């Protein structure tokens, strides 16, 4: 067969038969995807699914994107992308329904095993044991998050990883993650979500960094009920992005605008875009217009409420699936010899495909439902046998049989239904002992355990590289160990880290050329180059995003946030994306990055804060490490470099110029995670603190010795995970008194610590005095010369608070001051 002259420009070098097969295949994928949306919405409206959001009306551009996507590439997108995921073979209709039902069996619902709302896509980067799969042998999608534009910062990092792999020497062996940086990161975002700051921050950063990233904007002119005029200047996102377009003199973006219902144009644009990004490492924006939502935004509402009849009619007229059908029917070309070729002879051929798509989708739905419900029903039947046996043996059989009747007539096939009745019936057996009771108890225990694991595992790593499993290695000192400026300990340790781990790199504001604002990286850029020790723009959220994306692709990024207080700019990305990643993917993805920052006790409202309670609350899933000095900090870096958990390490701003003894084993010594350290022993009271406040606590404890009060001082070091071997309660058992001192606001991290010690560790039973928390004022620390003295607690405050407690306990011995 001759090559077809007038066929669409791309894909090139396809015979007509191949091309036809591709087109009809695509059409069928689009149909199955649409049918999933229609049936899925019905499942939500009839209550079989709790909620449904789908990609209807955006099928065609996703087929084109899938064609340009190559094995080893990455996606970072949002809930509309089901057609793309199907087209790359990472999702089928049955899995889509399993995800929709919230099936907790990850084998059925690979997206998240029931942890995420439906259509929050992901692929599995990790093996069962938490080790990396070969990501170059699969199509990769980072796990979606619901927050609009939240996918953008991570996208930057996914793309940047290619850049690092292409240019950095020493990572050539990382063939599981990259082939010379040829992988493209494909982002998708809705038109309305481009109003978010994260979108613009990412666009600018990717333009600066020139990374292989293709962002598709699916433009349906709406964000739920709100039309474009309320979202976008000039109502046209590509129009206002024009300033980012590259030209002969300036690097920037390649920007395309294409109709989302024009199949040949889409294929051509996506092929070009992929090539530009892959070969040149130039970022690309594709504004895909003329999209629509045939079934409205989600199952939560109906778009008839806010779209006019005319608008709804118009949307119907631009439906990409209908337009594809028309295009296929009308497609006709001739070769040089005058032979005519068509995809189909008439409508009936398409009707056959359409019928198949409908049937296959219906079957997929039924299978997904059965796979979801059958195991629960089976467990219910097994339970029923046990319950009947229990009723037979119990003197309370009347009550139990009543509950059994209720159970059997309850039509809800749910795990909780099984447990509710099992647990209620157990309540009737406290004074009885027979085999069936033990069977019931065991059944409840095992069943609960299975589902607790399914719902709550993998907040932190469960692999052998979990942070809490990395053993401590102490710093080694010898006769030649001298006292040095503490910042040089960090610096010399970083030097060792960068030497040992070619995949490690650090970046942030003023991190590169000057070696960070406190010189902890002095000279490192000269030694390790600009790729690995790098300055960034002032954009904390995308600095974190760079870290997440790169860590997901096998690199070991250390992202610097210049001061602790500025972490608030990145808190959304840290919390919604990084902290939840391992959990929301049910342990199938990880981003072992380190966030390096510094804080506490400098001067002024935004350079001395200690917003630990916020961080602690929002970052469950990240290790929160608060070293009291730079040796401890360096030890934390060394631990986290070999762990697969992410961590935030907060150095003490006022500690860099203090003297510390120089260890001899840089790179080796490791501060353990979740382990406290007793730094002064004593008998009268346990003082618990962390970070730079410890210095004041130690001073106060020394001064109290002269007043015959003996304090035990404990450094928490690791706020999360917290004191896993419960050492603090052992101290309270001895001293019978407890004080928590920190720089956070009242009711902040100190309340968290108190809860851990009093209730988790049960220290309440050993207390002879009220437990005390000593924190900052409720306002932020003032700048004035004595602002710190009055805003935070001073050594005198600590001294007096402890003295007063001892006075209350023994007024004869400790007379009022
Ligand atoms: C940060 C945040 N704000 C609000 C929402 C609620 N929300 C979900 S989708 C959506 C509209 C998004 O519209 P668009 O980006 O155009 O995507 P589309 O759904 O139209 O494809 C909104 C407001 C959210 N998920 N996250
Ligand atoms: Mg929209």
């Amino acid at each position: 067969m001759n090559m077809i002259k007038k066929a669409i420009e791309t894909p090139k070098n396809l015979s007509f038969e191949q091309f036809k097969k591709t087109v009809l295949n695509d059409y069928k994928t689009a149909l199955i995807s649409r049918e999933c949306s229609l049936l899925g919405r019905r499942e939500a409206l009839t209550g079989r699914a709790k909620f449904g959001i789908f990609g209807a009306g955006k099928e065609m551009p996703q087929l084109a994107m899938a064609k340009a996507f190559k094995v080893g590439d990455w996606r970072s997108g949002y809930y509309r992308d089901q057609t793309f995921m199907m087209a790359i073979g990472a999702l089928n209709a049955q899995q889509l329904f399993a995800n929709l039902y919230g099936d907790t069996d990850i084998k059925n619902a690979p997206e998240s095993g029931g942890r995420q709302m439906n259509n929050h896509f992901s692929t599995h980067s990790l093996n069962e044991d938490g080790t990396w799969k070969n990501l170059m042998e699969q199509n990769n999608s980072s796990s979606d998050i619901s927050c609009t534009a939240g996918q953008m910062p991570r996208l930057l990092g996914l793309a940047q990883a290619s850049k690092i792999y292409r240019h950095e020497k020493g990572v050539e062996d990382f063939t599981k993650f990259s082939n010379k940086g040829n992988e493209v990161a494909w982002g998708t975002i809705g038109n309305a979500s481009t109003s978010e700051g994260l979108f613009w921050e990412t666009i600018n950063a990717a333009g600066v960094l020139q990374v292989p990233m293709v962002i598709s904007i699916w433009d349906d002119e709406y964000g739920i009920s709100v039309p474009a005029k309320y979202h976008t200047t000039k109502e046209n996102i590509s129009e206002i992005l024009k300033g980012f377009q590259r030209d002969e003199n300036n690097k920037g973006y390649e920007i395309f605008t294409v109709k989302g219902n024009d199949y040949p144009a889409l294929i051509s644009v996506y092929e070009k875009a992929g090539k530009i990004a892959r070969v040149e490492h130039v970022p690309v924006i594709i504004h895909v217009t003329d999209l629509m939502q045939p079934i409205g935004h989600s199952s939560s509402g109906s778009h008839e409420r806010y779209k006019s009849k005319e608008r709804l009619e118009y949307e119907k007229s631009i439906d990409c699936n209908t337009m594809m059908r028309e295009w296929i029917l009308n497609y006709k070309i001739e070769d040089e010899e005058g032979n005519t070729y068509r995809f189909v002879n008439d409508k009936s051929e398409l009707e056959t495909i359409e019928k198949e798509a409908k049937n296959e989708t219906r079957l997929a739905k039924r299978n997904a439902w059965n796979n979801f419900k059958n195991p629960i029903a089976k467990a219910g039947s097994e339970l029923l046998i046990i319950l009947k046996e229990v009723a037979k043996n119990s003197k309370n059989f009347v009550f139990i049989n009543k509950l059994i009747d209720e159970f059997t007539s309850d039509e809800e096939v749910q795990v909780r239904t099984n447990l509710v009745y099992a647990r209620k019936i157990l309540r009737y057996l406290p004074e009885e002992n027979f085999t069936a009771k033990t069977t019931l108890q065991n059944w409840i225990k095992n069943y609960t355990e299975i589902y607790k694991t399914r719902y709550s595992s993998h907040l932190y790593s469960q692999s052998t590289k979990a942070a809490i499993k990395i053993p401590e290695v102490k710093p080694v000192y010898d006769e030649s160990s001298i006292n040095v400026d503490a910042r040089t300990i960090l610096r010399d340790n970083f030097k060792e880290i960068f030497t040992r781990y070619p995949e490690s790199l650090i970046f942030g504001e003023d991190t590169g050329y000057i070696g960070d604002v406190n010189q902890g990286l002095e000279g490192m850029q000269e030694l390790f180059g600009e790729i690995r020790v790098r300055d960034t723009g002032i954009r904390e959220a995308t600095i974190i995003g760079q870290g997440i994306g790169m860590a997901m692709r096998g690199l070991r990024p250390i992202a610097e946030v210049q001061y602790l207080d500025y972490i608030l700019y990145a808190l959304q990305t840290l919390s919604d994306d990084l902290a939840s990643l391992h959990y929301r993917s049910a342990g199938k993805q990880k981003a072992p990055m380190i966030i390096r920052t510094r804080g506490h006790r400098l001067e002024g409202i935004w350079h001395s804060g200690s917003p630990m309670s916020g961080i602690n609350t929002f970052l469950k899933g990240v290790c929160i490490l608060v070293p009291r000095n730079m040796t401890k900090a360096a030890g934390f870096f060394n631990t986290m470099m070999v762990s697969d958990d992410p961590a935030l390490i907060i150095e003490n701003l006022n500690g860099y110029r203090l003297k510390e003894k120089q260890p001899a084993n840089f790179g080796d010594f490791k501060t353990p995670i979740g382990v406290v350290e007793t730094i002064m022993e004593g008998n009268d009271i346990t003082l618990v603190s962390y970070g730079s406040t410890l210095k004041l606590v130690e001073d106060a404890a020394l001064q109290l010795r002269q007043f015959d009060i003996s304090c035990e001082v404990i450094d928490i070091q690791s706020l999360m995970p917290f004191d896993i071997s419960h050492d603090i309660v052992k101290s309270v058992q001895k001293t019978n008194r407890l004080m928590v001192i920190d720089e956070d606001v009242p009711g902040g991290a100190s309340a968290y610590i108190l809860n851990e010690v009093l209730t988790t560790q049960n220290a309440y039973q050993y207390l002879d005095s009220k437990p005390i928390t000593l924190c900052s004022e409720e306002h932020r620390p003032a700048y004035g010369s004595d602002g710190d003295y009055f805003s935070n607690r001073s050594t005198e405050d600590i001294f007096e608070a402890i003295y007063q407690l001892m006075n209350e306990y023994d007024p004869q011995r400790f007379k009022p001051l």
Side-chain angles (χ1 to χ4, degrees):
M1 157 99 46
N2 289 335
M3 292 306 297
I4 303 302
K5 235 180 23 185
K6 284 184 279 175
I8 58 170
E9 274 177 44
T10 54
K12 288 198 177 75
N13 306 324
L14 281 192
S15 70
F16 180 74
E17 276 312 309
Q18 287 166 324
F19 182 38
K20 172 180 156 181
K21 206 168 151 208
T22 308
V23 169
L24 295 182
N25 221 2
D26 272 358
Y27 182 56
K28 187 164 177 190
T29 306
L31 291 172
I32 290 178
S33 175
R34 178 66 62 91
E35 199 58 24
C36 283
S37 303
L38 299 175
L39 288 185
R41 180 174 168 82
R42 212 178 302 154
E43 292 299 273
L45 297 182
T46 56
R48 292 225 291 186
K50 289 195 286 190
F51 169 78
I53 192 155
F54 303 97
K58 299 181 177 66
E59 291 88 349
M60 194 192 275
Q62 297 181 25
L63 296 168
M65 180 166 131
K67 289 209 180 342
F69 191 95
K70 291 203 158 69
V71 177
D73 280 2
W74 279 84
R75 164 190 171 277
S76 180
Y78 78 119
Y79 49 79
R80 297 285 182 219
D81 295 345
Q82 70 199 45
T83 316
F84 171 79
M85 294 300 288
M86 287 175 168
I88 61 165
L91 178 78
N92 61 36
Q94 191 171 316
Q95 291 166 334
L96 181 142
F97 283 104
N99 295 328
L100 176 69
Y101 297 136
D103 192 333
T104 55
D105 187 340
I106 189 105
K107 287 199 284 310
N108 297 338
E111 218 166 74
S112 73
R115 292 177 182 201
Q116 291 235 61
M117 277 176 163
N118 79 303
N119 275 7
H120 285 58
F121 308 103
S122 76
T123 51
H124 297 181
S125 303
L126 304 179
N127 297 309
E128 257 334 280
D129 63 358
T131 54
W132 292 109
K133 292 182 170 209
N134 187 339
L135 304 182
M136 290 304 294
E137 288 175 351
Q138 60 181 47
N139 293 317
N140 300 290
S141 170
S142 55
S143 169
D144 292 359
I145 60 178
S146 298
C147 332
T148 48
Q151 69 274 34
M152 287 288 116
R154 170 190 351 123
L155 173 65
L156 179 66
L158 290 169
Q160 199 191 357
S162 290
K163 184 120 187 168
I164 308 290
Y165 283 121
R166 183 171 289 180
H167 295 287
E168 184 52 32
K169 308 238 169 336
V171 283
E172 294 86 354
D173 293 346
F174 284 61
T175 50
K176 271 186 178 180
F177 302 102
S178 182
N179 171 21
K180 301 185 182 73
N182 285 334
E183 306 74 35
V184 173
W186 302 81
T188 67
I189 187 166
N191 58 297
S193 302
T194 62
S195 304
E196 295 279 12
L198 290 182
F199 172 78
W200 293 97
E201 192 177 314
T202 305
I203 291 282
N204 178 54
V208 170
L209 291 170
Q210 291 290 290
V211 290
M213 160 173 130
V214 180
I215 300 180
S216 296
I217 301 161
W218 304 147
D219 193 347
D220 56 16
E221 298 177 11
Y222 275 83
I224 310 185
S225 66
V226 182
K229 70 174 176 176
Y230 295 104
H231 291 294
T232 308
T233 308
K234 301 183 182 179
E235 298 183 39
N236 186 333
I237 187 69
S238 51
E239 180 64 26
I240 58 171
L241 282 166
K242 272 185 176 160
F244 287 93
Q245 173 68 48
R246 66 174 170 167
D247 56 36
E248 305 91 65
N249 302 318
N250 292 298
K251 291 180 173 170
Y253 277 80
E254 201 53 56
I255 302 177
F256 295 97
T257 301
V258 59
K259 286 189 175 169
N261 48 24
D262 185 341
Y263 184 77
L266 282 164
I267 294 202
S268 158
V269 162
Y270 273 92
E271 198 198 67
K272 276 187 218 151
K275 212 177 206 173
I276 292 168
R278 201 178 304 281
V279 178
E280 299 178 50
H281 275 194
V282 166
V284 182
I285 294 165
I286 308 179
H287 181 197
V288 184
T289 63
D290 293 77
L291 296 173
M292 44 78 86
Q293 298 181 0
I295 54 173
H297 175 77
S298 74
S299 62
S300 297
S302 149
H303 62 163
E304 281 84 8
R305 270 196 302 153
Y306 48 78
K307 283 180 185 162
S308 66
K309 261 204 173 90
E310 293 73 36
R311 172 76 202 180
L312 290 168
E313 277 308 309
Y314 166 72
E315 289 201 5
K316 254 193 206 148
S317 76
I318 58 165
D319 185 332
C320 60
N321 282 15
T322 323
M323 305 256 305
M324 187 164 190
R325 187 179 208 272
E326 290 299 301
W327 180 75
I328 292 173
L329 278 174
N330 295 328
Y331 191 87
K332 192 168 84 177
I333 48 167
E334 279 178 10
D335 67 10
E336 283 141 345
E337 286 118 45
N339 301 313
T340 305
Y341 299 91
R342 309 182 65 122
F343 293 137
V344 287
N345 295 318
D346 59 36
K347 277 203 300 213
S348 68
E349 284 185 52
L350 287 186
E351 281 161 6
T352 307
I353 298 176
E354 284 153 9
K355 206 184 264 170
E356 271 171 25
K358 270 193 174 20
N359 288 341
E360 284 173 29
T361 310
R362 240 177 266 144
L363 180 67
K365 185 192 79 160
R366 212 169 30 242
N367 288 342
W369 179 255
N370 289 340
N371 288 347
F372 171 45
K373 286 295 178 185
N374 286 351
I376 306 172
K378 188 163 167 259
S381 307
E382 284 161 11
L383 173 64
L384 188 61
I385 295 170
I386 300 170
L387 296 181
K388 283 183 176 162
E389 198 57 29
V390 165
K392 233 192 264 167
N393 286 283
S394 172
K395 59 183 184 209
N396 287 324
F397 63 91
V398 178
F399 301 105
I400 292 170
N401 276 331
K402 191 165 167 282
L403 281 167
I404 289 176
D405 286 347
E406 274 179 41
F407 180 47
T408 46
S409 55
D410 195 327
E411 282 175 9
E412 287 285 354
V413 180
Q414 287 194 6
V415 172
R416 86 170 63 163
T417 318
N418 291 343
L419 275 170
V420 164
Y421 286 98
R423 292 165 79 178
K424 274 187 175 171
I425 285 173
L426 187 65
R427 289 179 198 163
Y428 284 99
L429 312 172
E431 285 155 17
E432 297 183 275
N433 258 327
F434 47 84
T435 314
K437 176 184 170 182
T438 316
T439 313
L440 178 61
Q441 283 170 324
N442 289 338
W443 187 91
I444 293 172
K445 189 163 162 272
N446 294 339
Y447 201 58
T448 306
E449 196 52 46
I450 292 168
Y451 283 94
K452 274 221 158 119
T453 305
R454 287 203 183 176
Y455 281 112
S456 297
S457 70
H458 294 100
L459 180 59
Y460 290 89
S461 168
Q462 295 178 192
S463 80
T464 52
K465 287 177 166 184
I468 54 169
K469 291 187 191 149
I470 309 296
E472 178 177 15
V473 177
K474 290 206 186 318
V476 172
Y477 302 101
D478 52 33
E479 315 83 62
S480 62
S481 297
I482 48 167
N483 279 338
V484 292
D485 277 354
R487 63 153 187 112
T488 67
I489 291 180
L490 276 174
R491 181 198 60 194
D492 296 348
N493 193 67
F494 277 129
K495 185 176 161 193
E496 200 52 43
I497 286 177
F498 297 138
T499 307
R500 287 180 188 200
Y501 307 104
E503 69 274 35
S504 63
L505 65 166
I506 191 163
F507 45 88
E509 297 152 20
D510 302 292
T511 297
Y513 186 67
I514 65 164
D516 91 42
V517 280
N518 296 90
Q519 296 282 281
L521 289 161
E522 181 194 19
M524 292 301 110
Q525 192 180 68
E526 272 170 54
L527 278 178
F528 296 99
E530 221 194 302
I531 294 179
R532 294 184 66 196
V533 183
R534 191 179 180 94
D535 286 320
T536 66
I538 306 172
R539 44 175 184 76
E540 288 75 12
T542 44
I543 288 174
I544 298 305
Q546 282 175 264
I548 298 172
M550 287 199 270
M552 292 179 87
R553 294 191 57 195
L555 294 168
R556 298 299 309 225
I558 304 173
E560 270 212 28
V561 172
Q562 197 160 73
Y563 295 104
L564 175 62
D565 305 73
Y566 301 119
I567 215 149
L568 267 64
Y569 272 64
L571 202 52
Q572 187 274 328
T573 302
L574 283 168
S575 178
D576 290 330
D577 201 1
L578 179 65
S580 77
L581 178 71
H582 202 51
Y583 172 78
R584 75 176 189 266
S585 64
K588 299 300 181 196
Q589 295 192 357
K590 65 179 173 183
M593 70 176 292
I594 301 175
I595 301 107
R596 177 189 186 212
T597 188
R598 47 189 78 80
H600 310 305
R601 294 222 171 228
L602 192 67
E603 278 144 354
I605 294 177
W606 287 281
H607 296 84
S608 52
S610 183
M612 296 315 303
S613 44
I615 291 171
N616 242 16
T617 305
F618 282 120
L619 266 60
K620 303 288 178 206
V622 177
C623 300
I624 307 295
L625 309 174
V626 279
R628 69 177 181 277
N629 60 37
M630 300 308 155
T631 309
K632 290 277 165 191
F636 276 138
F637 280 104
N638 293 338
T639 305
M640 295 315 302
M641 284 307 296
V642 293
S643 164
D644 54 14
D645 277 310
L648 169 68
I649 301 177
I650 303 167
E651 296 160 15
N652 291 328
L653 255 172
N654 60 3
Y656 294 111
R657 313 236 160 245
L658 299 178
K659 298 286 181 201
E660 287 180 38
K661 209 176 203 185
Q662 190 181 45
N665 55 342
F666 284 119
D668 281 334
F669 61 90
K670 295 186 178 67
T671 315
I673 309 296
V675 177
V676 303
E677 186 180 342
T678 303
I679 54 177
M680 274 175 81
E681 292 197 4
N683 299 313
D684 293 326
I685 185 165
T686 301
L687 307 179
V688 177
S689 188
Y690 56 88
S692 51
T693 315
L694 270 169
K695 270 235 140 355
L696 312 189
V697 175
E698 278 184 279
D699 286 348
L702 283 174
Q703 292 167 22
L704 282 156
R705 263 194 204 160
Q706 295 161 21
F707 288 75
D708 217 14
I709 296 171
S710 152
C711 304
E712 182 135 304
V713 180
I714 296 181
D715 179 5
I716 295 169
Q717 306 189 91
S718 162
L719 280 174
M720 284 194 319
F722 186 88
D723 188 12
I724 45 182
S725 56
H726 292 193
D727 285 336
I728 298 177
V729 69
K730 292 171 200 153
S731 170
V732 177
Q733 210 167 345
K734 177 173 72 169
T735 63
N736 309 114
R737 266 171 286 279
L738 173 68
M739 186 176 290
V740 178
I741 306 120
D742 78 351
E743 295 176 36
D744 197 1
V745 291
S750 59
Y752 159 81
I753 295 165
L754 212 53
N755 179 54
E756 287 290 331
V757 179
L758 293 187
T759 61
T760 310
Q761 301 190 5
N762 285 322
Y764 70 93
Q765 56 191 324
Y766 304 115
L767 288 178
D768 286 345
S769 302
K770 181 175 90 166
I772 306 279
T773 56
L774 214 54
C775 314
S776 75
E777 292 296 320
E778 285 192 327
H779 57 73
R780 295 184 182 204
Y783 173 71
S785 300
D786 299 310
D788 173 54
Y789 195 79
F790 284 95
S791 304
N792 285 317
R793 297 287 72 87
S794 63
T795 305
E796 288 67 43
D797 293 334
I798 300 167
F799 179 103
E800 287 160 17
I802 295 167
Y803 191 91
Q804 195 186 333
L805 198 70
M806 296 309 290
N807 160 265
E808 278 167 25
Y809 165 68
D810 189 347
Q812 292 310 318
R813 208 167 131 211
F814 304 103
K815 297 271 181 321
L817 290 176

